[in-house]
Amino acid sequence: MSVGYDDNNIFAKILRGEIPCKKVHEDEHTLAFEDIAPAAPVHTLVIPKGKYVSVTDFAARASDAEIGALIRAIGKVAALKGVEDPGYRLLSNIGREGGQVVPHLHFHILGGRALGPMLVK
Ligand code: 5GP
């Protein structure tokens, strides 16, 4: 059971195979797929298979194996997408003020062009 987790969020549906995704990587604990509305030439999402709302939730409840797998998957996907050099941005929006839209933990891997400043001031 997972308090506050919405089983009907879009990434839960992707994980259950109810809606398709363009898969980039999968292992026991993680799935990576292309963002449906890319904000950069490379825009891939990496998510845990477990029911976690955010990084905060993940840090509190996930096993060491899940946490390790997610970080390793991010490294793997960055290499697969060829963005390690010249570089990329790793981003996770959390909650309302963080701009999170989908309430299942995800990391955005953004790259393929110079991304400019981190935030609009
Ligand atoms: P957030 O704003 O929550 O950090 O990011 C959610 C991301 O999920 C957005 O970049 C959005 O384009 C992406 N997204 C939303 N719905 C879908 C979907 O059905 N499939 C895929 N592949 N990406 C989605």
Side-chain angles (χ1 to χ4, degrees), residues 10-11 14 19-22 33-38 43 45 91-94 98-104 106 108:
I10 203 86
F11 295 169
I14 286 175
I19 62 168
C21 72
K22 199 170 165 201
F33 52 93
E34 305 295 10
D35 196 290
I36 203 166
H43 190 170
L45 302 170
L91 179 76
S92 187
N93 296 317
I94 300 161
Q100 183 175 10
V101 172
V102 179
H104 180 112
H106 51 283
H108 300 254

